[in-house]
Amino acid sequence: KLKKITSKLIKPKTSSVSGNGLFVELDELMNMRKYATYLQQGKNKKTYSNQVGDVKSAFKGRGVEMDEIREYQFGDDVRDIDWRVTARKEKPYTKLYIEERDREVYVWLDLSAIMLFGSNIELKSVTASKVAAFIGWIALNNKDRFGCVIFDGKKSWVFKPKNDRAYLGAIFNKISEISKNILKQIQNSEEERVKSLKLLRTNVKNRANVFVISSFVYLGDEYNKIWTSLAKKTGLFMINVFDKLEEKAPLSGQYMVEYNGEKLLIDTSSKTYKKNYADYFSSKLKQKEIFCHKMSCNF
C-alpha cells in the first residue's frame, strides 16, 4: 500500500486546479486527505481508552509519560522495572506511567532554493509540500496536534501545534503561497537555515514527533548538533526528497550547465563519469543513513 501511495504522490493526475509541478495549489494539499485515509484503512484496529482521543497515535511512540518510580508491588508489569534503581536500592522498583492525552507532530518544511529542482513531473518543493500535507492529515485524523515550521531560504513561519481542521487549512494556504513566491525571489541562506532549525528545536516538546522534509544537500557539524539534540528529545524522522537526475547521470551526450555565472560543458558518455556520478550520490546518502542510525532517528 505504501508503494501505491508513493506512486500517486509523485504522479498526480492532471486537474484544472494544479500548479503544473512548479508550485502547489491549496486544493492539491487539501486533496492529500484521501491518501491519508487510504493508508489508515489498512491498519489494525487500535485500542480505545477513555483517557485519550478516539484512536491511538499512528506515529511511532509509546504514547505514555513517566509519572513516578516506586517500590514494585504484586501485579505490576515486570517490563516496567527500573533496573538501575533496583540495583542501587537492592529492592525491585518500577516505573509508573500516565497516558498522554494527545501527541505533538511537527513538520519542518524546506522550501528554499535547493528544493527548486525537478527533471520530470514536479519540483522537489512541490513533492515536499504534499508530504507535509499528508502528515498533517494523518495527525488530524488521529487527533494529534499538528504544528509546522516553513522555511523559504531566508525567513521562517512558525505554526504552533493544534488539532483543528481550519488551522490545518491555514497552514496549507501559507505553504501554497510560499511555494509560488519562492519562484519569483530565490533565497538560500545557510545562516538562516540553521536559525530556522534551532527555532524548531526550541518550539518542540519532549516526546513530540518531528518530521524534517528536505533534500539534505547541506552537511556539517552545525547541522549534526541540531539533529543530535532533536533526536534525544523527540521522535525524529528525516524525509529525504531527491530527484532521479541527482541519483543517476542523464543519457549519454553533452550538456551545458551554469553555476554562479560560469558555464561548463559536461560530457556524460563516459562510463567512468556515470559511475562517479552515481557513487557520489550513493556515498552522500550512505553518510546520512549511518548518521541517523547512530542517532536512533528514522531516515
Side-chain angles (χ1 to χ4, degrees), residues 105-109 132 135 146-150 200 209-211 213:
V105 177
Y106 253 104
V107 162
W108 186 82
L109 177 60
I135 294 170
F146 180 75
C148 188
V149 178
I150 310 169
L200 169 73
N209 283 303
V210 177
F211 295 82
I213 309 174

Side-chain angles (χ1 to χ4, degrees), residues 183-195:
L183 297 174
K184 304 171 187 175
Q185 190 174 9
I186 299 174
Q187 304 281 357
N188 188 39
S189 168
E190 290 304 313
E191 182 181 351
E192 292 301 322
R193 186 190 308 280
V194 171
K195 286 182 180 178

Side-chain angles (χ1 to χ4, degrees), residues 208-212 227-228 230-231 234-238 296-299:
N209 283 303
V210 177
F211 295 82
V212 179
W227 307 141
T228 302
L230 276 172
T234 69
L236 183 59
F237 298 78
M238 313 280 272
S296 297
C297 59
N298 300 273
F299 182 71

Side-chain angles (χ1 to χ4, degrees), residues 47-259:
T47 306
Y48 288 77
S49 168
N50 57 7
Q51 296 183 18
V52 294
D54 290 342
V55 291
K56 283 189 176 179
S57 173
F59 299 118
K60 182 181 178 181
R62 187 172 183 179
V64 291
E65 181 179 357
M66 194 178 77
D67 185 33
E68 63 173 315
I69 298 176
R70 61 156 170 76
E71 284 191 43
Y72 179 84
Q73 296 177 5
F74 179 78
D76 289 341
D77 193 333
V78 293
R79 292 175 297 180
D80 292 332
I81 291 176
D82 190 319
W83 296 106
R84 290 185 180 180
V85 177
T86 297
R88 190 168 64 249
K89 298 284 188 179
E90 297 184 350
K91 291 181 181 179
Y93 276 76
T94 184
K95 298 175 184 176
L96 295 183
Y97 294 91
I98 56 173
E99 288 186 273
E100 293 175 357
R101 294 188 177 276
D102 53 17
R103 186 184 304 280
E104 280 192 1
V105 177
Y106 253 104
V107 162
W108 186 82
L109 177 60
D110 190 352
L111 294 181
S112 64
I114 63 172
M115 303 297 285
L116 297 180
F117 180 76
S119 63
N120 193 6
I121 294 170
E122 61 191 22
L123 299 182
K124 292 190 288 186
S125 58
V126 175
T127 302
S129 298
K130 290 178 180 178
V131 173
F134 181 66
I135 294 170
W137 281 118
I138 292 178
L140 187 74
N141 290 349
N142 286 281
K143 304 205 172 177
D144 292 322
R145 287 176 291 141
F146 180 75
C148 188
V149 178
I150 310 169
F151 177 65
D152 74 346
K154 187 177 182 180
K155 185 179 177 182
S156 296
W157 287 262
V158 180
F159 292 86
K160 298 285 187 179
K162 289 184 182 179
N163 183 265
D164 181 82
R165 179 166 178 167
Y167 187 70
L168 188 65
I171 296 176
F172 292 170
N173 190 53
K174 177 56 72 173
I175 291 174
S176 175
E177 178 187 321
I178 295 172
S179 74
K180 297 173 185 176
N181 292 339
I182 58 176
L183 297 174
K184 304 171 187 175
Q185 190 174 9
I186 299 174
Q187 304 281 357
N188 188 39
S189 168
E190 290 304 313
E191 182 181 351
E192 292 301 322
R193 186 190 308 280
V194 171
K195 286 182 180 178
S196 181
L197 288 166
K198 287 182 178 179
L199 187 64
L200 169 73
R201 183 178 61 186
T202 302
N203 278 276
V204 298
K205 294 182 179 179
N206 291 346
R207 292 172 296 278
N209 283 303
V210 177
F211 295 82
V212 179
I213 309 174
S214 181
S215 63
F216 300 105
V217 297
Y218 44 87
L219 296 168
D221 292 338
E222 191 69 32
Y223 292 110
N224 289 345
K225 288 177 183 177
I226 296 172
W227 307 141
T228 302
S229 59
L230 276 172
K232 286 180 178 178
K233 65 183 289 191
T234 69
L236 183 59
F237 298 78
M238 313 280 272
I239 300 180
N240 186 32
V241 181
F242 63 90
D243 189 88
K244 64 179 183 179
L245 192 60
E246 297 175 78
E247 182 180 22
K248 187 178 179 181
L251 298 174
S252 297
Q254 292 184 331
Y255 297 86
M256 180 71 73
V257 298
E258 183 178 340
Y259 180 70

Side-chain angles (χ1 to χ4, degrees), residues 240-295:
N240 186 32
V241 181
F242 63 90
D243 189 88
K244 64 179 183 179
L245 192 60
E246 297 175 78
E247 182 180 22
K248 187 178 179 181
L251 298 174
S252 297
Q254 292 184 331
Y255 297 86
M256 180 71 73
V257 298
E258 183 178 340
Y259 180 70
N260 282 347
E262 182 182 359
K263 292 183 179 180
L264 298 171
L265 185 67
I266 295 177
D267 189 344
T268 63
S269 303
S270 166
K271 289 183 178 180
T272 302
Y273 177 85
K274 290 180 178 179
K275 184 179 184 303
N276 290 340
Y277 191 105
D279 287 349
Y280 176 80
F281 177 84
S282 61
S283 65
K284 292 293 183 183
L285 195 66
K286 193 66 178 177
Q287 285 179 32
K288 299 167 194 171
E289 290 175 344
I290 292 172
F291 176 80
C292 286
H293 181 70
K294 287 181 180 178
M295 294 300 104

